[in-house]
Amino acid sequence: MVKRSFFIILAALCLFLSACSAGTPDTSADGVLNQVKKEDYVVFEDLRLTSGKRIWNKFYRTAMEGDHCSVNIAHYYTLDKNSVSEEYYEAEKDNYPVIYLAELSFDGNEYNIKVWNSNKTELDTDRTYKYLMHYTGEPNSPDAVFSSYDNYVLVNDNTVTYEDIQWGMYSSQLGDYIDHYSVYIDHID
């Protein structure tokens, strides 16, 4: 399955490269972002859904019915100089923008997420979970840069709340962390 998925993404990138007619193809994060927006991808830019809502909804409905399905997801990130320290910006600026391409599949029993950084050829993530949970709400902080969130998270315990997941990420207590993988994160203005 990993080899098949890798070759599907590799074939898509090759198709992209061969389709470019104006000299050297743009394989930068921005170039890949522009290409996936033209294809059947769910696309997030800096934690905001920018295209593919219909594609996601179809995947989610199909999975909730217990049928086999898969969806391609792209997460694109930039580094805002004004929202990080000067030291961090200087140390990390050459790593941005970056785009992660993912394939989320459901085999009728469990979910598998495979993620590639577009700058690398090896698989970054290959994890399996039992449940896809949907969480919506408002941020805990009045200083948040968004007014609500719409998140889908892979977990192995379907009784976990979004607050449990957040607590586990920020807690210094050993054992509080809850294994999860956020596949759809939409921060809504």
Side-chain angles (χ1 to χ4, degrees):
M1 183 74 172
V2 172
K3 286 184 181 179
R4 183 179 74 87
S5 298
F6 175 75
F7 288 116
I8 289 170
I9 290 182
L10 185 60
L13 286 173
C14 288
L15 181 63
F16 164 67
L17 295 176
S18 65
C20 295
S21 59
T24 305
D26 186 357
T27 58
S28 67
D30 291 326
V32 174
L33 174 67
N34 289 332
Q35 183 62 30
V36 298
K37 282 184 171 183
K38 297 174 189 172
E39 298 177 15
D40 286 338
Y41 273 78
V42 178
V43 179
F44 297 90
E45 296 177 59
D46 291 323
L47 303 177
R48 286 176 167 72
L49 178 69
T50 57
S51 67
K53 178 80 169 170
R54 178 188 54 76
I55 296 164
W56 177 261
N57 288 341
K58 180 180 177 186
F59 166 80
Y60 186 69
R61 276 192 313 272
T62 304
M64 292 301 102
E65 292 169 0
D67 295 332
H68 297 239
C69 53
S70 65
V71 65
N72 293 317
I73 304 168
H75 288 275
Y76 175 87
Y77 299 100
T78 58
L79 183 61
D80 181 3
K81 186 175 188 175
N82 298 321
S83 64
V84 296
S85 71
E86 185 176 329
E87 296 80 18
Y88 183 82
Y89 181 81
E90 287 304 317
E92 295 295 325
K93 68 182 179 184
D94 293 336
N95 296 323
Y96 288 87
V98 63
I99 189 165
Y100 294 92
L101 304 176
E103 177 189 50
L104 174 60
S105 61
F106 180 66
D107 68 5
N109 292 310
E110 57 188 16
Y111 296 88
N112 180 257
I113 182 77
K114 292 178 176 52
V115 181
W116 293 264
N117 176 327
S118 67
N119 296 328
K120 301 176 184 174
T121 56
E122 67 270 4
L123 189 63
D124 279 349
T125 302
D126 185 359
R127 297 166 70 177
T128 301
Y129 292 90
K130 293 179 184 176
Y131 305 103
L132 176 61
M133 304 298 289
H134 183 202
Y135 302 109
T136 60
E138 296 177 359
N140 292 331
S141 171
D143 297 326
V145 295
F146 57 96
S147 60
S148 64
Y149 61 83
D150 185 17
N151 297 347
Y152 292 80
V153 181
L154 297 169
V155 295
N156 286 316
D157 176 357
N158 64 353
T159 64
V160 167
T161 67
Y162 193 63
E163 290 74 21
D164 294 337
I165 292 170
Q166 287 182 317
W167 173 259
M169 289 190 308
Y170 303 121
S171 173
S172 62
Q173 299 297 313
L174 186 62
D176 281 352
Y177 180 78
I178 296 170
D179 185 25
H180 70 283
Y181 196 93
S182 297
V183 292
Y184 181 114
I185 305 169
D186 190 14
H187 289 172
I188 302 162
D189 293 329

